Every structure is written in C-alpha cells, then in structure tokens.
Amino acid sequence: GIASLLGSKNCSDKMEGEDSLSTSDVDDVSDGFDDEEGSDDGENEHDHDSISDSDTEWSEDEIQSHPIFTTRNDADPKIIYCSFEDRYGNELLTESEILDACSKMDFLQNEISCIPIGRWRSMGYIIRNCTRLDQVYLDYMELSVEIIESLFPRNCAFEFSLSVLSFVGSGLGRREIEVIVPFLECSARIDLLDLRKNRIGNEGAQILAEALDKIHVKSLILSDNGITSDGMSHILSSNSPTLTCLHVDRNEIGNDGIVILAQLFRQGSIALEELKIGRLNGFSVTWAKLLLESLHSNESMNELEIVGLKVADLPSLELLDNAAKKLVCDTSSFDAFCKSNHIFQGLVSREYKPSQTLKYAFRINTISDFSINDRLRCKLRSIYFHTNFDVEPFLSIKISIMPHVLGILSRSDEFITNVNEEGNLNGIYRFIRNWNVPDLCVFPSPELKIKTLEAENAKLLCSLNKLEGEVSRLQILQRESNQKIKQLKMENQRLLEENEEHRVRKGDKSIKRSNVNTV
C-alpha cells in the first residue's frame, strides 16, 4: 500500500520537480508506519480514540508521529497527506505554525484507502482549530460517509468564515450531502462551496435547496452533477439569504428547465447576480434569446454565462446580438431605451462575441461608481444619439425656451449630422428636460408618467366600482336580515302572549277544582 501510494500518478504530479524516492526511503517510511501503527489491535484502537476526541491535547511526540505534520525534502522525504500554507504561500510544518497561521489546507490526490481513519480524524481536528483557515480543498478524492463524518462532525462547526470549501470530483452523492449539510447549517459564512463533478443528482440538489435558507453560502457550484430540470428548479426556488452566484452547467436541464428559469426571471423570484448554465447536448440561440428577454425587469442579475452555445451561422449571431441589445440598449424609441436594463453586465460564452455597440453598453453597466441614471445618460448620449455633445450648456437654459434653441440648432447641418437624424431633436429635448429627474429610468418623460398614472387611476376606479357594488349587495342583505329579525321578534312576542293566556286559563281551572273539593 505504501509503495503504491508513493508511486501513484496523482502523488507524482503533486511532487513534480522533486527527486524520486529510493527503495531505502520507502523502507524507512514503511518502518515508520509499522512502528506507529503496530500490530496490536487494542493499542491501535486506543490511538484512534484519542485522536477522535477534539478536546484532547496532543503531545509533541504524537504530533510529530503523524504524517500530516511532516514535510518532504531531498534529504529525508516523508509521506504527506495534506499541505498547509499561510496566507503568503509559505509551507507550514509544525503544530504551532499550523494551528496559529494556517490559511490554506490542500489534501493531496493520493490513494485514500492507504490513509487510516484516525488520520482523517486528526485532519478534522486541524480544520476545526485553525482560526485563520481560509481555504480547504478536498478535490478528486473518493470520500466515504465515514471520512466526511471524521472531517466534519455533526456537532462541530467553523467559528470563522471560509473563502473556499471545495469537493471537486470527490464522489459525493445523496448520502454524503446529507452528512455535509448539518455541518454547513451551523457554520459561519462560506464564500465558495464547490461541488463540481460529483453525483449529487436531483435528490442531493433537493436536500441542498431545502437547507439553503440556513446555509450562508455566497457562491454554489453544481456543475456536472447529473441534475435535471427538477433539481435545478429546487435550487432556484430556494430562499437563500446570501446566495448570489450559481453554476449549474453541464447538467441535462432540458427545455423545461430553461422555461422554468425564464419564468422565475420574469417574476423577479431570483436574486442571483451571476448564473452559469448549460446543457450536455448544447444550448441553442433560441433558448438563449428567451432567457435574455426574461431579464428585462430583473434588478439583480449581472452576468449570464452559457456553456455550449450553438451559434451555427451569421443570422443566429445577429439574432442573439439583437436580443442582447434590446435588453441593455433598446433603440426602438426614447422611452424603450430609458426602460432598458442598466444593471446586466454581459452575456458570456466562448462561442459568442458581442458587437462593439453591445460591448460598450456592457462596459458602461459595469461602472460601479455610476448610478443607474448616470449609466442611462452615458448610454443615451453615446449610443442613442450617436454623439458626445456637451449637455452642460443646455442645463442653464430655461426649459420653456429650449424648443426654440433646438429649432435654431436644427438649421445647422453639422448639428443634424452629429445627432444622426432630425427626429432625435425631440428626444434631446426630453433628455435635457429630464436630466435631474430622480425617477428618470422609471418614467422617462412626464407624458409617460401621466399615462401610467391614468392607467393606475382607471384600475383604481374599476376596483372602486366593484367595491361599491359589493357594498350595495351587503346593504340589501342587511335590510333583508333586519326584516327577518323584526318578523322573528313579532312572532316571539305573539308566542309569549299565547303562553301567558294559557297559563292564566290553567290557573283558573285549578281554582275551580279546589272550590268544588271544598264544597
């Protein structure tokens, strides 16, 4: 087992650039293992129990006897299961260095069958006690439920935030996810949870989705996990308070999954900022166009990355480019341009290259120092009006004489050429008039605002008429109820009088009988 471990391809890749180990070195390592492990089962069990107890303090001899605390060098090569580095990239070797300054913990791609379970427990101890730990990589290792429970006990959690927790290609399925989720639920924030190239499937995705409202994860990567549209809909429909980035590419989500995604975008149910999506059999331009159309009213999505986009010919490329332009810079009208999406920053795909105009619009949307109105003004000036004319001189002119000023400018051939067409003069007037209006993007012009308010007023009047009709119906029912109550009261009074008369008559008959008996 030791020989196969040292001679494995993965281990040799990790130790690239170092001298190969001699036979004597392997024998030395084997002897060290024999001395440490021993052949007595009782002694071995006692050693593992002491390691599994997270509260147990290790002696210096116990620490140095563990291969996880040893390093490799030309003079005295050792087996190492995990590398420890501080935030400057320096390799840490001693226990005190690791527990005090460890920032990155990277498990090497060895044959894990050679690693005793006690070693995994000791690594779990390291993870829980390195307060400066920032990155943990468990990539390309077949992790069993027992190993995961050793590394991440259910009753323990990180007391600090991690930037990366990676399980790439670690063979995780539904059972392993069930073990990991309780640990994540009670842990501090994790910036990136990387679960690529596993076998999570729809059941594992559903378990993650149900726990996302408790897991503080910013970025979740589920690429290549055998997830279909059902699993993706579970993830997207979760109410995660922190999730902003999701990768579900290289999964067979199908057409139904894309339709569900578009519906959630239109409803504003997705608070993601970045989404990476793709299918095993490719992604057609038609479906990409559908997703772009659904993002018009989305107020959070910054970037959409599509893997395996099929752009077969120039018409397909133009179709996709026009759909993206309509999203971020719709030049069909002034109002449509103002109502474009000024947050979306790019459609990313290896197979698609946006036009120069679209690149410029995306670049403006990425300027973090600009407010939405600033981005709109910049795009209006450069894309819609096709000019970089200086607006400042117009702002000091009274708006009442602005039409006359523009009328004079319209006689200038140079000005008309700069603004591309005479019809844009009206747009320039509205643009300047609304320059300092706070809700410019919502109501690009007073006329549109009036129309919107009138439409809302008509809806309110319709609702008012319905309410008045309902009130009238209730009033009629109340009158009918009052009449019935009145009739019942009269009937009750009549019965009371009859009862009284009956009681009087019965009393008279009893008196007569007593008189007769007396006589």
Side-chain angles (χ1 to χ4, degrees):
I2 298 299
S4 64
L5 173 61
L6 292 175
S8 65
K9 181 180 184 302
N10 289 334
C11 187
S12 63
D13 292 340
K14 284 287 184 176
M15 301 171 67
E16 185 177 14
E18 300 181 4
D19 296 336
S20 58
L21 300 179
S22 63
T23 306
S24 60
D25 294 331
V26 176
D27 293 338
D28 292 340
V29 174
S30 302
D31 293 339
F33 262 92
D34 293 337
D35 294 340
E36 180 182 338
E37 294 296 310
S39 59
D40 184 59
D41 294 336
E43 183 180 352
N44 205 23
E45 289 178 0
H46 175 73
D47 181 43
H48 288 177
D49 292 339
S50 64
I51 293 173
S52 63
D53 189 359
S54 60
D55 297 331
T56 302
E57 292 294 334
W58 295 352
S59 66
E60 186 66 24
D61 293 338
E62 289 175 332
I63 292 297
Q64 295 300 332
S65 68
H66 286 279
I68 60 172
F69 289 114
T70 59
T71 185
R72 50 187 190 269
N73 55 62
D74 296 337
D76 186 21
K78 301 288 186 180
I79 299 175
I80 181 168
Y81 297 125
C82 185
S83 65
F84 302 90
E85 296 178 1
D86 61 14
R87 61 193 183 98
Y88 302 106
N90 301 320
E91 189 171 12
L92 306 175
L93 307 178
T94 66
E95 177 208 10
S96 58
E97 287 177 341
I98 292 173
L99 294 180
D100 293 341
C102 181
S103 174
K104 180 180 178 182
M105 187 174 185
D106 191 358
F107 289 78
L108 304 184
Q109 302 173 22
N110 294 326
E111 295 290 339
I112 64 169
S113 59
C114 299
I115 305 178
I117 193 64
R119 300 293 184 266
W120 288 111
R121 292 179 184 140
S122 61
M123 294 177 194
Y125 172 85
I126 300 276
I127 292 176
R128 296 190 299 275
N129 289 275
C130 292
T131 57
R132 297 179 183 271
L133 191 60
D134 183 62
Q135 304 173 42
V136 178
Y137 294 90
L138 278 154
D139 298 341
Y140 300 102
M141 308 182 76
E142 282 291 330
L143 301 178
S144 64
V145 172
E146 186 180 16
I147 292 174
I148 295 175
E149 288 178 342
S150 300
L151 290 173
F152 309 106
R154 290 177 179 269
N155 298 327
C156 298
F158 293 128
E159 296 180 357
F160 48 89
S161 297
L162 285 177
S163 63
V164 179
L165 179 58
S166 179
F167 295 92
V168 178
S170 297
L172 303 185
R174 178 186 59 81
R175 292 182 58 204
E176 289 77 13
I177 292 297
E178 288 177 344
V179 176
I180 293 174
V181 162
F183 176 80
L184 297 177
E185 288 180 348
C186 57
S187 300
R189 190 187 77 250
I190 299 174
D191 292 340
L192 171 61
L193 179 60
D194 196 344
L195 300 172
R196 283 175 292 165
K197 299 181 180 180
N198 287 289
R199 46 176 184 269
I200 294 174
N202 290 338
E203 294 182 355
Q206 185 175 0
I207 294 172
L208 276 175
E210 292 172 353
L212 276 178
D213 57 341
K214 301 176 184 177
I215 299 176
H216 300 284
V217 177
K218 292 180 63 178
S219 301
L220 177 60
I221 301 182
L222 295 172
S223 308
D224 195 5
N225 265 288
I227 297 174
T228 65
S229 59
D230 294 336
M232 190 194 69
S233 62
H234 285 307
I235 296 292
L236 293 175
S237 301
S238 61
N239 298 318
S240 173
T242 57
L243 187 63
T244 58
C245 175
L246 176 65
H247 291 192
V248 289
D249 55 299
R250 295 181 177 86
N251 290 293
E252 191 50 66
I253 62 173
N255 296 338
D256 294 339
I258 301 175
V259 172
I260 292 172
L261 181 60
Q263 290 175 350
L264 293 174
F265 277 141
R266 287 194 179 93
Q267 296 169 2
S269 304
I270 301 179
L272 295 174
E273 296 179 3
E274 179 183 342
L275 177 64
K276 186 176 182 180
I277 191 172
R279 300 192 301 180
L280 295 177
N281 59 352
F283 208 98
S284 68
V285 170
T286 304
W287 292 114
K289 180 175 177 290
L290 175 66
L291 290 179
L292 289 173
E293 291 173 350
S294 65
L295 287 172
H296 276 277
S297 58
N298 190 280
E299 298 180 354
S300 61
M301 183 64 66
N302 290 333
E303 182 178 300
L304 176 63
E305 183 174 354
I306 299 178
V307 177
L309 184 63
K310 294 181 178 179
V311 183
D313 48 20
L314 184 60
S316 298
L317 180 62
E318 293 178 350
L319 180 67
L320 187 60
D321 207 66
N322 290 334
K325 285 180 181 178
K326 191 173 182 180
L327 173 64
V328 296
C329 53
D330 187 358
T331 57
S332 60
S333 68
F334 183 82
D335 292 338
F337 194 95
C338 292
K339 293 178 69 175
S340 299
N341 190 313
H342 308 294
I343 298 175
F344 189 70
Q345 299 175 2
L347 172 64
V348 180
S349 179
R350 291 182 180 179
E351 299 79 11
Y352 167 68
K353 293 183 179 180
S355 62
Q356 292 298 324
T357 300
L358 198 53
K359 285 182 179 179
Y360 186 68
F362 285 150
R363 193 179 304 119
I364 293 174
N365 283 356
T366 59
I367 303 177
S368 58
D369 295 338
F370 276 15
S371 65
I372 293 181
N373 279 348
D374 292 335
R375 296 173 188 174
L376 170 59
R377 292 164 184 161
C378 188
K379 289 196 290 185
L380 275 170
R381 187 168 53 193
S382 303
I383 299 176
Y384 186 77
F385 297 127
H386 301 282
T387 181
N388 288 318
F389 68 92
D390 187 8
V391 181
E392 294 298 329
F394 293 93
L395 299 180
S396 59
I397 302 176
K398 289 185 177 180
I399 196 66
S400 58
I401 64 172
M402 184 60 64
H404 303 287
V405 174
L406 292 176
I408 295 172
L409 291 175
S410 66
R411 301 170 189 171
S412 169
D413 295 336
E414 183 179 357
F415 183 80
I416 293 298
T417 302
N418 279 338
V419 298
N420 196 35
E421 57 184 51
E422 188 174 356
N424 274 340
L425 290 175
N426 182 47
I428 292 175
Y429 166 68
R430 295 167 63 182
F431 174 46
I432 296 172
R433 181 176 60 182
N434 289 278
W435 182 264
N436 293 313
V437 178
D439 54 359
L440 174 63
C441 297
V442 181
F443 298 106
S445 66
E447 293 84 356
L448 182 59
K449 187 172 184 178
I450 291 172
K451 290 180 180 179
T452 305
L453 292 175
E454 288 177 347
E456 292 179 357
N457 186 45
K459 291 181 180 179
L460 292 175
L461 289 175
C462 183
S463 300
L464 180 61
N465 292 334
K466 290 181 180 179
L467 291 174
E468 289 177 349
E470 185 68 16
V471 169
S472 301
R473 187 180 67 82
L474 293 175
Q475 288 176 347
I476 293 173
L477 290 176
Q478 185 178 11
R479 285 196 294 268
E480 293 177 353
S481 299
N482 291 337
Q483 291 178 358
K484 289 181 179 180
I485 292 172
K486 187 176 181 180
Q487 292 175 359
L488 290 174
K489 286 182 177 180
M490 294 174 63
E491 182 68 17
N492 185 47
Q493 184 65 29
R494 184 182 65 77
L495 292 174
L496 288 174
E497 292 176 354
E498 289 182 357
N499 187 39
E500 183 65 25
E501 291 178 358
H502 180 71
R503 188 173 60 79
V504 171
R505 290 174 185 173
K506 188 176 180 180
D508 293 342
K509 288 180 180 180
S510 62
I511 292 173
K512 289 180 180 180
R513 287 175 184 171
S514 63
N515 291 337
V516 170
N517 292 334
T518 303
V519 173

